[in-house]
Amino acid sequence: MKTQVLYLLLFLFALPAMAQEEQRNYDKEKLQSAKVAFITQRLDLTPVQAEKFWPAYNQHNKEKRNLMREIDLLGRDAEKLNNEQAKAFLEKKFEVEQKILDLEKDFIKQITKIISPVQAIKLDDVNKDFARHIYRMQRSKKPE
């Protein structure tokens, strides 16, 4: 199974290299499939673990994205704020950041019932590795 996942991962990463240079769009489904394969392989998830892990992971990411969007919206006109408004903005920002921290804690509690604590610890690094890998692929495709 690991070999199949690795081949799938390599195939998915090779597809953008074969695409025409002027095509700047990316296929969200392909990117998501590559991410699933990458994380599954790196965390060495069993099929049983993966079946339970991915719905929890996707729900967590959706909730986290919504909270991050909330912070972005709060800071839109931050430079135009007076002192009182800035204090209120900071308080609200810290409240949302606390919600994100609480969300992370709950997520770790939830997934350590599905995957091992060691795999849970690796998850953050694996996510960063995937983002770096995609970034490097995009940089190498750009003409200089």
Side-chain angles (χ1 to χ4, degrees):
M1 169 134 179
K2 287 183 191 177
T3 306
Q4 291 172 342
V5 170
L6 185 59
Y7 284 135
L8 174 65
L9 183 65
L10 291 173
F11 175 74
L12 289 172
F13 284 135
L15 284 176
M18 293 184 278
Q20 293 179 351
E21 199 55 41
E22 63 262 5
Q23 185 182 3
R24 294 290 177 199
N25 301 3
Y26 66 93
D27 186 343
K28 288 183 181 183
E29 285 184 25
K30 285 182 186 176
L31 183 63
Q32 185 61 28
S33 295
K35 185 175 184 176
V36 167
F38 189 88
I39 292 173
T40 299
Q41 192 266 335
R42 286 288 190 90
L43 292 182
D44 197 22
L45 296 177
T46 67
V48 173
Q49 286 176 319
E51 185 180 325
K52 295 176 183 176
F53 171 79
W54 287 108
Y57 178 85
N58 291 334
Q59 180 63 33
H60 168 73
N61 277 346
K62 182 180 176 182
E63 292 172 10
K64 187 174 178 181
R65 258 193 321 273
N66 289 338
L67 290 171
M68 296 298 285
R69 199 171 294 128
E70 194 176 324
I71 289 175
D72 288 344
L73 292 174
L74 284 172
R76 288 269 162 123
D77 296 319
E79 65 275 352
K80 298 177 185 175
L81 301 177
N82 62 35
N83 283 339
E84 290 304 312
Q85 293 169 325
K87 285 179 185 178
F89 162 77
L90 289 172
E91 285 299 316
K92 181 66 176 168
K93 181 181 174 209
F94 289 136
E95 286 175 22
V96 175
E97 287 175 346
Q98 185 62 51
K99 286 180 187 177
I100 292 171
L101 181 59
D102 293 341
L103 182 69
E104 291 293 323
K105 287 179 182 179
D106 291 342
F107 176 64
I108 293 299
K109 285 178 186 175
Q110 180 184 6
I111 64 164
T112 52
K113 295 175 184 172
I114 300 168
I115 62 176
S116 74
V118 172
Q119 288 171 312
I121 290 170
K122 285 182 179 180
L123 181 59
D124 192 43
D125 288 337
V126 170
N127 274 319
K128 289 176 186 174
D129 289 346
F130 180 75
R132 279 188 213 107
H133 183 76
I134 296 300
Y135 176 73
R136 284 186 201 120
M137 284 179 58
Q138 290 295 60
R139 260 189 41 198
S140 68
K141 286 187 353 179
K142 290 183 182 177
E144 295 191 26

